[in-house]
Amino acid sequence: MVCLGNICRSPLAEGILQDKVGSKHLVCSAGTGDWHVGEQPDRRSVDVAKRRGIDISDQRAQHFTPHLFDEFDIIYAMDQTNYNDLVELAKTDEDRKKIKLFLEDAFGEPQPVPDPYYGTIADFEAVFDLIDDATDQLITKYTF
Ligand code: 4NP
């Protein structure tokens, strides 16, 4: 799960999908930017997830590095800019094929997960709901 800062959207995506797939699959998240490396997710993401019974407080932001293409089968970009940045980092066609726009794979429509960083708690709630619905779709699609 990849966004820009790895503190708002992708930690939620990691926490929500990992909660649904349990120990069957490893889900992780990273950011295309490195400003927040080592930090906990944004307080608002932690709080929204906690209210829905998911603890993401142990996550720490990491910068996306190309070795992650080797470690994961699918690399989900939260928005088109993240997608384009990941394509730039891909070393091979095999890497490139792993990159998918998250909501497009879930719903068949190339929409972004909106960045809530400069928004309100309601924007974080909306992002949680969107990711919750999308991950339900993906689980049905891939029968994870
Ligand atoms: P995220 O949100 O990409 O969903 O983690 C952002 C977090 C930090 C910044 C931008 C977006 N930032 O500019 O520091």
Side-chain angles (χ1 to χ4, degrees):
M1 301 296 191
V2 180
C3 63
L4 177 60
N6 192 208
I7 55 168
C8 298
R9 292 166 291 176
S10 59
L12 283 172
E14 174 186 332
I16 292 168
L17 185 58
Q18 189 71 77
D19 183 65
K20 291 178 185 180
V21 299
S23 56
K24 277 199 289 182
H25 298 280
L26 178 66
V27 185
C28 111
S29 65
T32 56
D34 64 0
W35 314 283
H36 298 283
V37 166
E39 293 177 18
Q40 264 197 323
D42 188 286
R43 188 76 242 163
R44 296 164 294 178
S45 285
V46 173
D47 289 347
V48 164
K50 192 174 173 191
R51 281 203 289 278
R52 311 293 190 92
I54 296 175
D55 182 3
I56 63 168
S57 64
D58 287 342
Q59 292 186 31
R60 294 295 179 271
Q62 65 168 332
H63 190 205
F64 186 92
T65 52
H67 81 275
L68 292 170
F69 285 116
D70 305 324
E71 291 184 27
F72 290 89
D73 300 320
I74 304 177
I75 311 283
Y76 281 122
M78 295 293 115
D79 66 31
Q80 191 65 46
T81 303
N82 310 145
Y83 182 95
N84 296 344
D85 290 342
L86 287 166
V87 168
E88 287 291 311
L89 292 170
K91 303 170 275 57
T92 63
D93 275 351
E94 202 183 330
D95 290 354
R96 262 182 290 281
K97 280 187 207 139
K98 293 184 176 183
I99 308 167
K100 296 173 190 282
L101 193 59
F102 178 62
L103 294 186
E104 183 171 35
D105 200 32
F107 300 129
E109 298 276 337
Q111 327 152 29
V113 177
D115 185 351
Y117 187 61
Y118 293 106
T120 65
I121 195 76
D123 297 311
F124 280 78
E125 297 277 2
V127 163
F128 186 102
D129 289 337
L130 194 54
I131 293 171
D132 196 22
D133 290 347
T135 48
D136 281 346
Q137 291 296 318
L138 292 173
I139 283 170
T140 304
K141 180 170 176 172
Y142 292 103
T143 58
F144 282 144

